[in-house]
């Protein structure tokens, strides 16, 4: 039986384990997907040694960047982004070969592209600076949109929340939330933005999918913003993971 899994910490009940095990059951694939909750990325070699039937892994917080030194090679996108969320595991004799990919960028760009009007949407704010936000930045650039990171802290190449005026929101009218603010169970939290400056040309995209509509999305929608959660992105990136594991990458 082939084995696939997710590495991260903490994990809880992840979307991936439900999605893939359902896929295996529906398509009668002799495989199993499981969570590998590891408190340190240094435990990855041990996971591989204990599970010689592993064919692929997904990577989540906080290891999308930390996993890179353990890999033998990277796809061009993963190298450019600097973050990996899919690993293909192959075996050549006694050697285990690990190649890293980024399916977040595929899921995100395919999901947000139908919302974008090149006439109106030229600049974006990315809320957060973690591994997922790097894929979002890469994806936005590929769609011809100029992104800027927003952080709570003063960092090179970022702006802070207190610098986001109504005028900034009018100019940077694509806003992607890559932070956990508003995620269940803390559903009454949201990024501190001038929502009243939003209108029908504003896109709010939230990587969170639980709840279905976050406070970030609700507050923007009150002023006419076009809003979307991260569920479709999640489904699309899971599909791309399967393609990468089976060597069908472009």
């Amino acid at each position: 039986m082939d084995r696939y899994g997710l590495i991260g910490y903490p994990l809880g009940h992840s979307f991936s384990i439900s999605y893939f095990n359902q896929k295996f059951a529906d398509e009668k694939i002799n495989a199993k997907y499981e969570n590998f909750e590891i408190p340190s990325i240094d435990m990855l070699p041990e996971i591989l040694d204990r599970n010689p039937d592993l064919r692929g892994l997904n990577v989540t917080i906080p290891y999308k960047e930390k996993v890179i030194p353990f890999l033998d090679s990277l796809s061009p996108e993963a190298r450019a982004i600097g973050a990996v969320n899919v690993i293909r595991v192959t075996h050549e004799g006694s050697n285990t070969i690990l190649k890293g990919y980024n399916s977040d960028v595929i899921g995100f760009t395919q999901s947000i592209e139908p919302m974008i009007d090149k006439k109106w949407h030229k600049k974006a704010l990315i809320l957060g600076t973690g591994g997922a936000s790097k894929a979002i930045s890469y994806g936005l650039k590929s769609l011809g949109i100029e992104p800027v990171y927003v952080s709570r802290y003063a960092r090179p190449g970022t702006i802070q929340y207190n610098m986001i005026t109504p005028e900034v929101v009018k100019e940077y009218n694509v806003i992607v939330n890559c932070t956990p603010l508003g995620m269940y169970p803390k559903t009454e939290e949201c990024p501190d933005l001038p929502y009243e400056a939003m209108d029908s040309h504003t896109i709010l995209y939230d990587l969170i999918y639980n709840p279905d509509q976050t406070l970030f999305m609700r507050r923007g929608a009150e002023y006419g913003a076009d809003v979307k959660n991260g569920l479709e992105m999640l489904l699309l990136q899971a599909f791309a993971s399967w393609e990468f594991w089976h060597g069908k990458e472009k």
Side-chain angles (χ1 to χ4, degrees), residues 2-237:
D2 287 345
R3 195 179 298 267
Y4 302 87
L6 173 68
I7 57 170
Y9 189 84
L11 289 179
H13 189 74
S14 73
F15 163 85
S16 298
I17 195 169
S18 304
Y19 172 83
F20 282 109
N21 282 323
Q22 189 63 52
K23 174 184 175 70
F24 299 154
D26 291 346
E27 299 182 22
K28 296 181 171 54
I29 298 169
N30 185 27
K32 182 181 180 183
Y33 191 103
E34 60 188 271
N35 286 347
F36 298 103
E37 189 175 60
I38 51 175
S40 167
I41 192 61
D42 294 328
M43 296 175 69
L44 176 59
E46 183 182 336
I47 295 293
L48 294 164
D49 288 343
R50 287 186 179 180
N51 298 276
D53 48 358
L54 263 176
R55 297 292 175 264
L57 289 167
N58 289 119
V59 184
T60 189
I61 295 169
Y63 300 136
K64 290 185 180 185
E65 295 153 293
K66 293 176 182 176
V67 77
I68 290 175
F70 292 83
L71 307 179
D72 297 290
S73 62
L74 296 172
S75 70
E77 292 81 8
R79 186 176 300 282
I81 293 164
V84 163
N85 74 316
V86 182
I87 300 171
R88 188 169 83 210
V89 184
T90 53
H91 301 277
E92 296 179 7
S94 59
N95 295 325
T96 300
I97 310 298
L98 306 179
K99 182 169 183 178
Y101 301 88
N102 193 299
S103 67
D104 282 338
V105 67
I106 297 169
F108 173 70
T109 51
Q110 289 180 354
S111 182
I112 199 172
E113 189 170 20
M115 304 173 74
I116 290 170
D117 182 337
K118 293 289 175 68
K119 178 182 175 184
W120 294 105
H121 302 124
K122 301 180 189 303
K123 296 182 179 182
L125 298 176
I126 300 174
L127 311 182
T129 56
S133 64
K134 292 184 174 184
I136 300 313
S137 177
Y138 185 93
L140 288 167
K141 288 175 183 174
S142 76
L143 296 171
I145 294 174
E146 176 191 328
V148 172
Y149 290 113
V150 181
S151 174
R152 288 176 294 168
Y153 311 106
R155 294 175 178 171
T158 69
I159 64 171
Q160 283 63 63
Y161 284 93
N162 60 7
M163 298 167 66
I164 302 176
T165 62
E167 291 73 26
V168 170
V169 166
K170 293 290 187 188
E171 184 179 358
Y172 291 81
N173 57 2
V174 178
I175 305 176
V176 185
N177 181 34
C178 301
T179 78
L181 277 174
M183 185 185 296
Y184 179 85
K186 298 182 179 180
T187 57
E188 292 311 308
E189 295 182 352
C190 68
D192 185 15
L193 301 169
Y195 291 90
E196 68 281 0
M198 298 175 184
D199 57 29
S200 61
H201 298 309
T202 309
I203 294 173
L204 296 189
Y205 193 104
D206 203 330
L207 267 59
I208 294 169
Y209 56 91
N210 183 13
D212 292 341
Q213 192 171 54
T214 59
L215 184 57
F216 167 72
M217 294 165 63
R218 292 204 311 272
R219 291 191 64 184
E222 287 174 9
Y223 295 96
D226 193 8
V227 303
K228 196 171 195 176
N229 71 19
L231 184 59
E232 183 184 48
M233 172 182 165
L234 205 63
L235 290 165
L236 290 166
Q237 70 85 15

